[in-house]
Amino acid sequence: MRVVVGQGSCGIATGAKKTAAEFERLIAENNLDIKVDVTGCVGTCYLEPIVDVYDDEDNLTRYVKVQPDKVEKIVEEHLKNGSTVEEQSISSEDEEFVKRQQRVVLRNCGVINPEKIEEYIAADGYKAIEKVLNSMSPEDVIEEIKVSGLRGRGGAGFPTWFKWNAAHQSAGKEKYLVCNADEGDPGAFMDRSVLEGDPHSLIEGMIIGGYAMGATEGIIYCRAEYPLAIKRLEIAMDQAREKGYLGKNIFGSGFSFDIRIKAGAGAFVCGEETALIASLEGERGMPRLKPPFPAQKGYWQKPTDINNVETLANVPWIIYNGGEAFGSMGTEKSKGTKVFALAGKIRKGGLVEVPMGLTLNDVIFGIGGGIKNDRQFKAVQMGGPSGGCIPAELIDTPVTYEDINKTGAIVGSGGMIVMDEDTCMVDMARYFLNFTRDESCGKCNYCRIGTKRMLEILERITEGEGKEGDIELLEELANKIKDGSLCGLGQTAPNPVLTTIKYFRNEYEDHIYNKKCTAGSCKALISYNITDDCVGCTLCKKNCPVEAITGELKEKHVIDNDKCIKCGKCIESCKVGAIIKK
């Protein structure tokens, strides 16, 4: 018997380390011959901390939300007596969260110990690179990736084989393969989960990619905000070198390839490949004109291929199982599976991996369980700051590169931020413009100044100071920024604004002409009032942090909206529902 505690960042944040320590303490106290092991995130982040108990025949019992005070009962009833603690077990509904997925990239996450190479090898790890070096030429590898239909999973969905082939055909012996692990979209954590839960899949994918293009050195550009990911990558790389899978003369083939990590400072613009290269070279992360493309002149002006974590983590599975197996999943133009991070007002937040072609409805409601507190679904933001908002009426849109692009959003790296009826779409656009304004590298006038001017307009509108012509001015500025910016990040920065105007123009008009926020989100445009249902209990008065409520016991109270800071404490404390927000 063994106990496995999920210790990805999400699990640790909810107390998984304390849970694991409590298991170790109680197991030692009871002299039980049971090992406490570690794994990454299985994707059900909303159920953390997660504890898996395997019996001697490797049958699994999964416990969820296991805080330290729940451990003793599991030890007493399950580990000592073999009885399942039903109230702590995962429900059949929550089990469906994983069962309804088709996992390629996440196949080992939450299953193996990411710090033990033996467990990756037992799961067919490093068999793909062995196959490549024993029986395939670089051209054969590129052809297999072409057959698979794998497209870049970090942004625009560019065909992976094409980039590899361009670097392969570029002249020169010194070439580089760079993994972009600078995951910067708000609400996106797909790459982090792979790095923390299955780092060897990325390493093996990079070795295969290096062989295909003729590179001998790989660089993982990972944001410094991912310390656990970096730690587990370093452990995995050391173990791979010890086994002879990484370094000189891999499998005695004569092919040598090694990897190093570069910790980035977390600049969003370094997700753009030429800005990333500038940062690697020790320069400020700013994009360069293309052409030449990195495949011809990249890192130190040498041929360089750049792929993100999810793209490269697909490669070992594709090579081992065949490109046709991967291509049989998904649709004709968007093949394979895609990992999505469900965040926001979703009932079951976490990671899902599904074949491309499922609808947004399948993902958000079928797997994600729908909206928290049974609220009304309003929109989903896809593609991060470079993406856009897709409204409820388009929820049956298939999740493919082509269909999502038609809505004005993009698949991007895979973030899905779900919004309900209480989300103000004007404020949502303001949030993303604030992000891109802050993260602009400043090289382009249109991006540096244009996003600032758009943000100023959005701030005025949400503060009740919008005026006629603001919507048209936003559209004009947005189109100029798209046309005039140097890199893809600047060119896509206006997308959240353009899509919210396209689908929620009425909310902009309400803010500007009626001085009203229909979602009740923009503080400058709402007020709190106490109705005649007030019984004078004084709870609202006692809980108001700015003393904006007056009234005597058993008499109707009054809110001074000049003092009110719209914190909502009064509504939360009122037991009779006598306070309304207008």
Side-chain angles (χ1 to χ4, degrees):
M1 185 179 288
R2 60 193 175 100
V3 173
V4 180
V5 182
Q7 293 188 48
S9 289
C10 53
I12 292 170
T14 55
K17 280 188 176 294
K18 293 179 181 178
T19 297
E22 186 67 2
F23 268 107
E24 289 173 345
R25 185 182 72 81
L26 291 173
I27 286 171
E29 278 186 8
N30 288 275
N31 295 315
L32 301 175
D33 186 19
I34 297 173
K35 187 177 182 182
V36 179
D37 216 340
V38 173
T39 190
C41 173
V42 75
T44 51
C45 305
Y46 66 103
L47 296 175
E48 296 285 2
I50 296 172
V51 175
D52 292 339
V53 178
Y54 292 87
D55 65 18
D56 294 335
E57 296 178 355
D58 230 27
N59 296 311
L60 167 66
T61 301
R62 176 161 290 164
Y63 294 112
V64 299
K65 299 182 180 179
V66 184
Q67 294 297 334
D69 62 340
K70 307 292 184 182
V71 172
E72 186 173 5
K73 190 168 186 178
I74 296 173
V75 171
E76 290 295 325
E77 296 187 16
H78 192 146
L79 303 191
K80 293 174 71 173
N81 299 316
S83 300
T84 301
V85 181
E86 296 294 344
E87 65 266 27
Q88 213 64 46
S89 300
I90 189 169
S91 68
S92 56
E93 179 187 346
D94 288 325
E95 280 187 319
E96 290 297 311
F97 183 93
V98 175
K99 287 181 178 178
R100 296 188 63 177
Q101 301 179 39
Q102 197 161 347
R103 294 159 73 91
V104 174
V105 172
L106 302 180
R107 62 193 178 278
N108 295 323
C109 291
V111 178
I112 67 170
N113 185 331
E115 298 180 11
K116 291 183 179 178
I117 192 172
E118 294 79 13
E119 294 195 16
Y120 180 71
I121 293 170
D124 297 324
Y126 292 107
K127 288 185 178 178
I129 185 58
E130 186 176 10
K131 174 182 177 182
V132 164
L133 296 179
N134 286 337
S135 62
M136 299 177 75
S137 67
E139 292 81 7
D140 291 336
V141 175
I142 292 170
E143 181 62 26
E144 201 68 47
I145 298 300
K146 183 178 181 179
V147 169
S148 75
L150 177 65
R151 296 169 65 172
R153 296 304 198 235
F158 199 75
T160 303
W161 77 270
F162 191 91
K163 294 177 76 171
W164 285 18
N165 192 51
H168 170 70
Q169 293 180 343
S170 293
K173 292 183 178 180
E174 191 177 350
K175 300 178 182 180
Y176 297 93
L177 174 61
V178 176
C179 172
N180 181 355
D182 192 57
E183 187 174 47
D185 289 2
F189 47 97
M190 299 75 58
D191 290 352
R192 188 196 72 204
S193 185
V194 174
L195 296 174
E196 293 177 353
D198 189 18
H200 286 285
S201 66
L202 169 62
I203 293 168
E204 187 176 10
M206 290 186 72
I207 300 169
I208 294 169
Y211 174 79
M213 64 175 283
T216 57
E217 184 177 351
I219 306 168
I220 300 173
Y221 187 90
C222 183
R223 55 181 41 230
E225 290 97 326
Y226 285 180
L228 181 61
I230 292 174
K231 174 190 170 185
R232 288 182 176 166
L233 272 171
E234 289 173 339
I235 292 170
M237 287 159 54
D238 287 342
Q239 292 174 342
R241 290 189 190 100
E242 288 175 8
K243 292 282 187 181
Y245 301 143
L246 190 63
K248 295 186 180 298
N249 195 26
I250 300 171
F251 284 110
S253 64
F255 173 66
S256 299
F257 185 85
D258 211 338
I259 300 172
R260 62 184 172 90
I261 298 171
K262 164 69 175 177
F268 180 67
V269 72
C270 287
E272 197 278 334
E273 57 183 9
T274 60
L276 186 155
I277 289 170
S279 179
L280 281 177
E281 294 173 346
E283 302 293 331
R284 183 178 175 186
M286 300 177 80
R288 302 170 181 173
L289 281 170
K290 293 183 286 189
F293 293 95
Q296 285 78 45
K297 289 186 178 182
Y299 182 53
W300 299 126
Q301 299 300 299
K302 305 296 182 182
T304 304
D305 181 80
I306 301 177
N307 300 112
N308 86 321
V309 173
E310 185 182 342
T311 306
L312 291 164
N314 273 299
V315 171
W317 191 96
I318 291 171
I319 296 298
Y320 184 69
N321 294 280
E324 289 186 2
F326 188 83
S328 67
M329 297 179 280
T331 67
E332 181 60 31
K333 293 183 178 179
S334 296
K335 295 184 177 182
T337 63
K338 179 75 188 77
V339 182
F340 294 98
L342 297 179
K345 302 295 182 69
I346 191 83
R347 192 187 301 274
K348 300 177 181 179
L351 291 176
V352 300
E353 184 175 2
V354 294
M356 298 200 78
L358 266 65
T359 66
L360 289 170
N361 192 25
D362 293 329
V363 177
I364 295 170
F365 285 88
I367 298 175
I371 312 304
K372 281 182 181 178
N373 304 317
D374 296 320
R375 306 292 285 173
Q376 189 80 22
F377 171 66
K378 188 172 189 177
V380 59
Q381 165 77 16
M382 286 192 67
S386 302
C389 294
I390 303 173
E393 58 263 31
L394 298 181
I395 195 170
D396 290 320
T397 300
V399 181
T400 67
Y401 291 104
E402 298 74 28
D403 289 297
I404 296 299
N405 286 351
K406 288 176 185 176
T407 69
I410 61 172
V411 171
S413 60
M416 284 191 184
I417 300 178
V418 178
M419 292 165 271
D420 67 10
E421 60 197 87
D422 294 328
T423 304
C424 172
M425 303 312 293
V426 183
D427 192 53
M428 178 61 66
R430 181 206 59 76
Y431 168 81
F432 280 107
L433 250 293
N434 184 63
F435 181 89
T436 49
R437 188 278 310 267
D438 286 347
E439 295 290 340
S440 172
C441 74
K443 188 169 186 176
C444 307
N445 286 342
Y446 280 104
C447 182
R448 182 180 73 249
I449 301 173
T451 55
K452 180 176 174 62
R453 295 293 171 253
M454 287 184 72
L455 177 62
E456 288 170 350
I457 296 168
L458 289 167
E459 286 176 338
R460 278 200 293 102
I461 294 173
T462 57
E463 290 167 4
E465 298 175 4
K467 56 188 179 183
E468 188 171 354
D470 276 348
I471 300 174
E472 292 74 19
L473 183 54
L474 282 169
E475 291 175 318
E476 180 184 351
L477 284 168
N479 289 318
K480 287 183 176 178
I481 294 168
K482 288 174 75 72
D483 293 338
S485 293
L486 173 62
C487 78
L489 297 182
Q491 292 161 10
T492 56
N495 283 350
V497 178
L498 289 173
T499 53
T500 50
I501 290 175
K502 179 180 180 180
Y503 299 117
F504 301 96
R505 193 182 188 95
N506 63 306
E507 290 198 26
Y508 281 84
E509 292 171 345
D510 273 345
H511 280 69
I512 294 169
Y513 302 114
N514 300 326
K515 306 303 178 187
K516 179 182 178 184
C517 176
T518 51
S521 174
C522 298
K523 289 185 177 181
L525 297 175
I526 60 174
S527 63
Y528 288 85
N529 293 280
I530 299 177
T531 69
D532 291 338
D533 294 327
C534 176
V535 296
C537 69
T538 74
L539 281 176
C540 61
K541 180 180 177 180
K542 291 174 181 176
N543 283 279
C544 179
V546 292
E547 299 181 348
I549 300 176
T550 56
E552 300 299 325
L553 184 65
K554 296 185 179 180
E555 293 182 2
K556 180 185 173 183
H557 285 43
V558 177
I559 298 176
D560 183 346
N561 272 289
D562 290 332
K563 287 185 178 180
C564 178
I565 59 172
K566 284 87 173 181
C567 65
K569 294 286 186 183
C570 54
I571 290 181
E572 293 173 10
S573 60
C574 183
K575 304 298 184 184
V576 295
I579 304 176
I580 58 173
K581 182 169 67 172
K582 292 184 179 180

